[in-house]
Amino acid sequence: MKAAVIRNYNGEISVQDVEVERPRRGEVMLKIIATGLCHSDLSAYEGKIPVPTPFVAGHEIFGEIVDIGEGVTNFSVGDRVIMAFIKPCGKCEYCVKGQENLCENYGKNVLRGKMLDGTTRLRLRGAELNILGGGGFSEYAVIEETGLAKVPNEISDESIAVLGCAGLTGYGAVNNAMPIFGKRVMVIGVGGVGMSVIQWAKIAGAREIIAVDISDEKLKNARELGAKIINSNITSKEQVENESPDVVIEVAGTTKTEEMAVNVVKKGGKVVFVGLPNVNEAVRIYGASVVRKGITITGSYGGRPRIDLPAMMEYVKKGIFRPDLLVSKRYSLEELPRALRDLAEGRIVRGLINP
Ligand code: APR
Ligand code: ZN
Ligand code: ZN
């Protein structure tokens, strides 16, 4: 089968013939219909998320099950499913506590480019090929069933793929920011995940949403969702801080915007960090100000695939959450390099890659 292989950071991406093994216990094989392109794929391509090369990226997969491994009971061949970027083991302390987004065994393997069992099903000229959260920029992928959710028949739009990361991460972030009813919520960074956060925050009852970004293009999308918009490149720091929202959700993934989030939040308010800055970059927070303002700062990583994805799908089915609003453009597998460039240069929100 064909897969887009990242051989070196920032290097050439070649669509190559890759071997895929049959699913093992608890795994299924998907024929991929579409995979969303996330900023984390770009970060991995640039080596900022240092998955060992060579690897196949793509962790927002929508596909159809074509083969199932031993012991799979929740899915059958022919099911259309989406994949969460998190595949919980179901056995560790965090999974047992219901925090499957923090699964220890998933966390241990994801940055090494491996599945839950520490290996992958892909072979490139006989050698094991790594993946980033699923290996979706490909024709087929073998995935642990714990990360999958069935797509109801009523949903046919391929943009459902983006629920697997942007949708889920936004849902998890708003869950962590609750209660939101009656509150003013600022969302910093309105790319794929930010557009998802805005929609969930509206659903959760936010009184007003203030979108902050440096791209007018991205802000235009946020305004269409009813948000008040601020371009932080042309608005003074003081003016942004005057907004003093009750809740700030940081989704740009820079230390600068994390600092902004802490400075802008109202007394007694809550800051939720969602974006992922470079792992070796620190943020400057003034302890005295955190104390005097009595604020809460919390991190939010993804969401719980088996609990949240089915719930999210209900909102999509009813047209309340619109994944299509996150998708700007479609690309073929061969066009992945162009899609990465478009994302890096801010020309698209989410791109959908069709094998
Ligand atoms: N101030 C405000 N907005 C910013 C800034 C900044 N200094 N820098 C970047 N942004 C905006 C970009 O203009 C863009 O609209 O943040 C947005 C990021 O969106 P995407 O590139 O689509 O990234 P997304 O996939 O939404 O992920 C956001 O979460 O999962 C992590 O690694 C991911 O850190 C990234 C973040
Ligand atoms: Zn992602
Ligand atoms: Zn676990």
Coordinates of all heavy atoms in Angstrom, one line a residue, residues 206-276:
A206 N -21.4 29.6 27.1 CA -20.7 30.8 27.3 C -21.5 32.0 26.9 O -22.3 32.0 25.9 CB -19.4 30.8 26.5
R207 N -21.4 33.1 27.6 CA -22.2 34.3 27.3 C -21.6 35.1 26.2 O -22.2 35.6 25.3 CB -22.2 35.2 28.6 CG -22.6 36.7 28.3 CD -23.1 37.3 29.6 NE -22.0 37.4 30.6 CZ -21.3 38.4 31.0 NH1 -21.5 39.6 30.3 NH2 -20.4 38.4 31.9
E208 N -20.2 35.1 26.2 CA -19.5 35.8 25.1 C -18.2 35.1 24.8 O -17.6 34.6 25.8 CB -19.2 37.3 25.5 CG -18.6 38.0 24.4 CD -18.2 39.5 24.7 OE1 -18.1 39.8 25.9 OE2 -18.0 40.3 23.8
I209 N -17.8 35.0 23.6 CA -16.5 34.4 23.3 C -15.7 35.4 22.6 O -16.1 36.1 21.7 CB -16.7 33.1 22.4 CG1 -17.4 32.1 23.2 CG2 -15.4 32.6 21.9 CD1 -17.8 30.8 22.5
I210 N -14.5 35.6 23.1 CA -13.5 36.5 22.5 C -12.4 35.7 21.9 O -11.7 34.9 22.6 CB -12.9 37.4 23.6 CG1 -14.1 38.1 24.4 CG2 -12.0 38.5 23.1 CD1 -13.8 38.2 25.9
A211 N -12.2 35.8 20.6 CA -11.2 35.1 19.9 C -10.0 36.0 19.6 O -10.1 37.1 19.1 CB -11.7 34.6 18.5
V212 N -8.8 35.5 20.0 CA -7.5 36.2 19.8 C -6.6 35.4 18.9 O -6.5 34.2 19.1 CB -6.8 36.4 21.2 CG1 -5.5 37.2 20.9 CG2 -7.7 37.2 22.1
D213 N -6.1 36.1 17.9 CA -5.2 35.4 16.9 C -4.3 36.5 16.3 O -4.6 37.7 16.5 CB -6.0 34.6 15.9 CG -5.1 33.4 15.3 OD1 -4.1 33.7 14.6 OD2 -5.5 32.3 15.5
I214 N -3.4 36.1 15.5 CA -2.5 37.1 14.8 C -2.9 37.1 13.3 O -2.3 37.8 12.5 CB -1.0 36.8 15.0 CG1 -0.7 35.3 14.8 CG2 -0.6 37.3 16.4 CD1 0.8 35.0 14.9
S215 N -3.8 36.2 12.9 CA -4.2 36.1 11.5 C -5.6 36.6 11.3 O -6.6 36.0 11.9 CB -4.0 34.6 11.1 OG -4.9 34.3 10.0
D216 N -5.8 37.6 10.4 CA -7.1 38.1 10.2 C -8.0 37.0 9.5 O -9.2 36.9 9.7 CB -7.1 39.3 9.3 CG -6.6 40.5 10.1 OD1 -6.9 40.6 11.3 OD2 -5.9 41.4 9.5
E217 N -7.4 36.2 8.7 CA -8.1 35.1 8.0 C -8.7 34.2 9.0 O -9.9 33.8 8.9 CB -7.0 34.3 7.2 CG -7.5 33.4 6.2 CD -7.9 34.2 4.9 OE1 -7.6 35.4 4.8 OE2 -8.5 33.6 4.0
K218 N -7.9 33.8 10.0 CA -8.5 32.8 11.1 C -9.5 33.5 11.9 O -10.5 32.9 12.3 CB -7.3 32.4 12.0 CG -6.2 31.7 11.3 CD -6.5 30.2 10.9 CE -5.5 29.6 10.0 NZ -4.3 29.0 10.7
L219 N -9.3 34.8 12.2 CA -10.3 35.6 13.0 C -11.6 35.7 12.3 O -12.7 35.7 12.9 CB -9.7 36.9 13.4 CG -8.6 36.9 14.4 CD1 -7.8 38.2 14.5 CD2 -9.1 36.5 15.8
K220 N -11.6 35.8 11.0 CA -12.8 35.9 10.2 C -13.7 34.7 10.5 O -14.9 34.8 10.7 CB -12.5 36.0 8.7 CG -13.5 36.8 7.9 CD -13.0 37.0 6.5 CE -13.9 36.2 5.5 NZ -13.3 35.3 4.6
N221 N -13.1 33.5 10.5 CA -13.8 32.3 10.7 C -14.5 32.3 12.1 O -15.6 31.9 12.3 CB -12.9 31.1 10.7 CG -12.2 30.9 9.4 OD1 -12.8 31.2 8.3 ND2 -11.0 30.3 9.4
A222 N -13.7 32.8 13.1 CA -14.2 32.9 14.5 C -15.4 33.9 14.6 O -16.3 33.7 15.3 CB -13.1 33.3 15.4
R223 N -15.3 35.0 13.8 CA -16.4 36.0 13.8 C -17.6 35.4 13.3 O -18.7 35.6 13.7 CB -16.0 37.2 13.1 CG -17.1 38.3 13.3 CD -16.6 39.7 12.8 NE -16.1 39.6 11.4 CZ -15.3 40.5 10.9 NH1 -14.9 41.5 11.7 NH2 -14.8 40.3 9.7
E224 N -17.5 34.5 12.2 CA -18.7 33.9 11.7 C -19.4 33.0 12.7 O -20.5 32.7 12.6 CB -18.3 33.1 10.4 CG -18.2 34.0 9.2 CD -17.5 33.5 8.0 OE1 -17.4 32.2 7.9 OE2 -17.0 34.3 7.2
L225 N -18.6 32.5 13.7 CA -19.2 31.7 14.8 C -19.7 32.6 15.9 O -20.1 32.1 16.9 CB -18.2 30.7 15.3 CG -17.9 29.5 14.5 CD1 -16.7 28.7 15.1 CD2 -19.1 28.6 14.3
G226 N -19.7 33.9 15.7 CA -20.3 34.8 16.7 C -19.3 35.4 17.7 O -19.7 36.0 18.6
A227 N -18.0 35.1 17.5 CA -17.1 35.5 18.5 C -16.7 37.0 18.3 O -16.7 37.5 17.1 CB -15.8 34.7 18.4
K228 N -16.3 37.7 19.4 CA -15.7 39.0 19.2 C -14.3 38.7 18.9 O -13.7 37.8 19.5 CB -15.8 39.7 20.6 CG -15.0 41.0 20.6 CD -15.2 41.7 22.0 CE -14.3 43.0 22.0 NZ -14.5 43.7 23.3
I229 N -13.7 39.5 18.0 CA -12.3 39.1 17.5 C -11.3 40.2 17.9 O -11.6 41.4 17.9 CB -12.3 38.8 16.0 CG1 -12.7 40.0 15.2 CG2 -13.1 37.6 15.7 CD1 -12.5 39.8 13.7
I230 N -10.1 39.7 18.2 CA -9.0 40.6 18.5 C -7.7 40.1 17.8 O -7.3 39.0 18.0 CB -8.7 40.7 20.0 CG1 -9.9 41.3 20.8 CG2 -7.4 41.5 20.3 CD1 -9.7 41.3 22.3
N231 N -7.1 41.0 17.0 CA -5.8 40.7 16.4 C -4.8 41.2 17.3 O -4.6 42.4 17.5 CB -5.7 41.3 15.0 CG -4.4 40.8 14.3 OD1 -3.4 40.6 15.0 ND2 -4.5 40.7 13.0
S232 N -4.1 40.3 18.0 CA -3.1 40.7 19.1 C -1.8 41.3 18.5 O -1.0 41.8 19.2 CB -2.8 39.5 20.0 OG -2.4 38.4 19.2
N233 N -1.7 41.2 17.2 CA -0.6 41.9 16.5 C -0.8 43.4 16.4 O 0.2 44.2 16.4 CB -0.4 41.4 15.1 CG 0.8 40.4 15.1 OD1 1.5 40.2 16.1 ND2 0.9 39.7 13.9
I234 N -2.0 43.8 16.3 CA -2.3 45.2 16.2 C -3.0 45.9 17.4 O -3.2 47.1 17.4 CB -3.1 45.5 14.9 CG1 -4.4 44.7 14.8 CG2 -2.3 45.2 13.6 CD1 -5.3 45.0 13.6
T235 N -3.4 45.0 18.4 CA -4.0 45.5 19.6 C -3.0 45.6 20.7 O -2.2 44.6 20.8 CB -5.2 44.6 20.0 OG1 -6.0 44.4 18.8 CG2 -6.1 45.2 21.1
S236 N -3.0 46.6 21.5 CA -2.0 46.7 22.5 C -2.3 45.7 23.6 O -3.4 45.3 23.8 CB -2.0 48.2 23.1 OG -3.2 48.3 23.9
K237 N -1.2 45.4 24.3 CA -1.3 44.4 25.4 C -2.3 44.9 26.5 O -3.1 44.1 27.0 CB 0.1 44.4 26.1 CG 0.4 43.2 26.9 CD 1.9 43.0 27.2 CE 2.1 42.2 28.4 NZ 2.5 43.0 29.6
E238 N -2.3 46.2 26.7 CA -3.3 46.7 27.7 C -4.7 46.5 27.3 O -5.6 46.2 28.1 CB -3.0 48.2 28.0 CG -1.7 48.6 28.7 CD -0.5 48.3 27.8 OE1 -0.6 48.5 26.5 OE2 0.6 47.9 28.3
Q239 N -4.9 46.8 26.0 CA -6.3 46.6 25.5 C -6.8 45.2 25.6 O -7.9 44.9 26.0 CB -6.4 47.0 24.0 CG -7.0 48.4 23.8 CD -6.9 48.8 22.3 OE1 -5.8 48.9 21.8 NE2 -8.0 48.9 21.7
V240 N -5.9 44.2 25.3 CA -6.2 42.8 25.4 C -6.5 42.5 26.9 O -7.5 41.9 27.2 CB -5.1 41.9 24.9 CG1 -5.5 40.4 25.1 CG2 -4.8 42.2 23.4
E241 N -5.7 43.0 27.8 CA -5.9 42.7 29.2 C -7.1 43.3 29.8 O -7.7 42.8 30.7 CB -4.6 43.2 30.0 CG -3.5 42.2 29.8 CD -2.2 42.5 30.4 OE1 -2.1 43.5 31.2 OE2 -1.2 41.8 30.1
N242 N -7.6 44.5 29.2 CA -8.8 45.1 29.6 C -10.0 44.2 29.4 O -11.1 44.4 30.0 CB -9.1 46.4 28.8 CG -8.5 47.6 29.5 OD1 -8.2 47.5 30.7 ND2 -8.3 48.6 28.8
E243 N -9.9 43.2 28.5 CA -11.0 42.3 28.3 C -11.4 41.5 29.6 O -12.5 41.1 29.8 CB -10.7 41.3 27.2 CG -10.7 41.9 25.8 CD -12.1 42.4 25.4 OE1 -13.1 41.8 25.8 OE2 -12.1 43.3 24.5
S244 N -10.3 41.2 30.4 CA -10.4 40.4 31.6 C -11.6 39.3 31.6 O -12.6 39.5 32.3 CB -10.4 41.2 32.9 OG -11.6 42.0 33.0
P245 N -11.4 38.3 30.8 CA -12.5 37.3 30.7 C -12.5 36.4 31.9 O -11.4 36.3 32.7 CB -12.1 36.5 29.5 CG -10.6 36.7 29.3 CD -10.3 38.1 29.9
D246 N -13.6 35.7 32.2 CA -13.6 34.7 33.3 C -12.8 33.5 33.1 O -12.3 32.9 34.0 CB -15.1 34.3 33.5 CG -16.1 35.4 33.7 OD1 -16.1 36.0 34.7 OD2 -16.8 35.7 32.7
V247 N -12.7 33.1 31.8 CA -12.0 31.9 31.5 C -11.2 32.1 30.2 O -11.6 32.8 29.3 CB -13.0 30.7 31.1 CG1 -12.3 29.5 30.6 CG2 -13.9 30.4 32.4
V248 N -9.9 31.7 30.2 CA -9.1 31.8 29.1 C -8.6 30.4 28.6 O -8.1 29.7 29.5 CB -7.8 32.7 29.3 CG1 -7.1 32.9 28.0 CG2 -8.2 34.0 29.9
I249 N -8.8 30.1 27.4 CA -8.4 28.8 26.9 C -7.3 29.1 25.8 O -7.5 29.7 24.8 CB -9.6 28.0 26.3 CG1 -10.6 27.8 27.3 CG2 -9.1 26.6 25.8 CD1 -11.9 27.0 26.9
E250 N -6.1 28.6 26.1 CA -4.9 28.9 25.3 C -4.7 27.8 24.3 O -4.4 26.6 24.7 CB -3.6 29.1 26.1 CG -2.5 29.7 25.4 CD -1.8 28.8 24.4 OE1 -1.8 27.6 24.6 OE2 -1.3 29.4 23.4
V251 N -4.8 28.1 23.0 CA -4.7 27.0 22.0 C -3.8 27.3 20.9 O -3.8 26.7 19.8 CB -6.1 26.7 21.4 CG1 -6.2 25.2 21.0 CG2 -7.3 27.1 22.2
A252 N -2.9 28.4 21.1 CA -2.0 28.7 20.1 C -0.7 27.9 20.2 O 0.0 27.6 19.2 CB -1.7 30.2 20.1
G253 N -0.4 27.5 21.4 CA 0.7 26.7 21.7 C 2.1 27.4 21.6 O 3.1 26.9 21.2
T254 N 2.1 28.6 22.2 CA 3.4 29.3 22.4 C 3.5 29.8 23.8 O 2.5 30.0 24.5 CB 3.5 30.6 21.4 OG1 2.6 31.6 21.9 CG2 3.1 30.3 20.0
T255 N 4.7 30.0 24.3 CA 4.9 30.4 25.7 C 4.4 31.9 25.8 O 3.9 32.3 26.8 CB 6.4 30.3 26.1 OG1 7.1 30.9 25.1 CG2 6.8 28.9 26.2
K256 N 4.5 32.6 24.7 CA 4.0 34.0 24.7 C 2.5 34.1 24.9 O 2.0 34.9 25.7 CB 4.4 34.6 23.3 CG 4.5 36.1 23.3 CD 4.9 36.6 21.9 CE 4.0 37.7 21.5 NZ 4.0 38.0 20.1
T257 N 1.8 33.2 24.3 CA 0.3 33.2 24.5 C -0.1 32.6 25.8 O -1.1 33.0 26.4 CB -0.4 32.6 23.3 OG1 0.3 31.3 23.0 CG2 -0.4 33.5 22.1
E258 N 0.7 31.7 26.3 CA 0.5 31.2 27.6 C 0.6 32.3 28.7 O -0.2 32.4 29.6 CB 1.4 30.0 28.0 CG 1.1 28.8 27.2 CD 2.0 27.6 27.6 OE1 3.1 27.8 28.0 OE2 1.6 26.4 27.4
E259 N 1.6 33.1 28.5 CA 1.8 34.3 29.4 C 0.6 35.3 29.3 O 0.1 35.8 30.3 CB 3.1 35.0 29.1 CG 4.3 34.3 29.7 CD 5.7 34.9 29.3 OE1 5.7 36.1 28.9 OE2 6.6 34.1 29.3
M260 N 0.2 35.5 28.1 CA -0.9 36.4 27.8 C -2.2 35.8 28.5 O -2.9 36.6 29.2 CB -1.2 36.4 26.3 CG -2.4 37.3 25.9 SD -2.9 37.0 24.2 CE -1.7 38.0 23.3
A261 N -2.4 34.5 28.5 CA -3.5 33.9 29.1 C -3.6 34.2 30.6 O -4.6 34.6 31.2 CB -3.5 32.4 28.8
V262 N -2.4 34.0 31.2 CA -2.3 34.2 32.7 C -2.5 35.7 33.1 O -3.2 36.0 34.0 CB -1.0 33.7 33.2 CG1 -0.8 34.0 34.7 CG2 -0.9 32.2 33.0
N263 N -2.0 36.6 32.2 CA -2.1 38.0 32.5 C -3.5 38.6 32.3 O -3.9 39.5 33.0 CB -1.1 38.8 31.7 CG 0.3 38.5 32.1 OD1 0.6 38.2 33.2 ND2 1.3 38.7 31.1
V264 N -4.2 38.0 31.3 CA -5.5 38.6 30.9 C -6.7 38.1 31.8 O -7.6 38.8 31.9 CB -5.7 38.4 29.4 CG1 -6.0 36.9 29.1 CG2 -6.9 39.2 28.9
V265 N -6.5 37.0 32.4 CA -7.7 36.4 33.1 C -8.1 37.2 34.3 O -7.3 37.9 34.9 CB -7.4 34.9 33.5 CG1 -6.5 34.8 34.7 CG2 -8.7 34.2 33.8
K266 N -9.5 37.2 34.5 CA -10.1 38.0 35.6 C -9.7 37.4 36.9 O -9.4 36.2 37.0 CB -11.6 37.9 35.4 CG -12.4 38.8 36.2 CD -13.9 38.6 35.7 CE -14.8 39.5 36.5 NZ -16.1 39.5 35.9
K267 N -9.8 38.2 38.0 CA -9.6 37.7 39.3 C -10.5 36.5 39.6 O -11.7 36.6 39.2 CB -9.9 38.8 40.4 CG -8.8 39.7 40.6 CD -9.2 40.6 41.8 CE -8.1 41.6 42.1 NZ -8.5 42.4 43.3
G268 N -10.0 35.5 40.2 CA -10.9 34.3 40.5 C -11.1 33.4 39.3 O -11.9 32.5 39.4
G269 N -10.5 33.8 38.1 CA -10.8 33.1 36.9 C -10.0 31.8 36.7 O -9.2 31.4 37.5
K270 N -10.2 31.3 35.5 CA -9.5 30.0 35.2 C -8.8 30.1 33.9 O -9.3 30.6 32.9 CB -10.6 28.9 35.2 CG -9.9 27.5 35.1 CD -11.0 26.5 35.5 CE -10.4 25.1 35.6 NZ -11.4 24.1 36.0
V271 N -7.6 29.5 33.8 CA -6.8 29.5 32.6 C -6.6 28.0 32.2 O -6.2 27.2 33.1 CB -5.4 30.1 32.8 CG1 -4.6 30.0 31.5 CG2 -5.6 31.6 33.2
V272 N -6.9 27.7 31.0 CA -6.7 26.3 30.6 C -5.6 26.3 29.4 O -5.8 26.9 28.4 CB -8.0 25.6 30.1 CG1 -7.8 24.2 29.7 CG2 -9.1 25.8 31.1
F273 N -4.5 25.6 29.7 CA -3.5 25.4 28.7 C -3.8 24.2 27.8 O -3.9 23.1 28.3 CB -2.1 25.2 29.3 CG -1.5 26.5 29.9 CD1 -0.3 26.4 30.6 CD2 -2.0 27.7 29.7 CE1 0.4 27.5 31.2 CE2 -1.4 28.9 30.3 CZ -0.2 28.7 31.0
V274 N -3.9 24.4 26.5 CA -4.2 23.3 25.6 C -3.1 23.2 24.5 O -2.8 22.0 24.2 CB -5.6 23.6 24.9 CG1 -6.0 22.4 24.0 CG2 -6.7 23.8 25.9
G275 N -2.6 24.3 24.0 CA -1.6 24.2 23.0 C -0.3 23.6 23.5 O 0.0 23.6 24.7
L276 N 0.5 23.1 22.6 CA 1.8 22.5 23.0 C 3.0 23.3 22.5 O 3.3 23.2 21.3 CB 1.9 21.1 22.4 CG 1.0 20.0 23.1 CD1 0.9 18.8 22.2 CD2 1.4 19.7 24.5

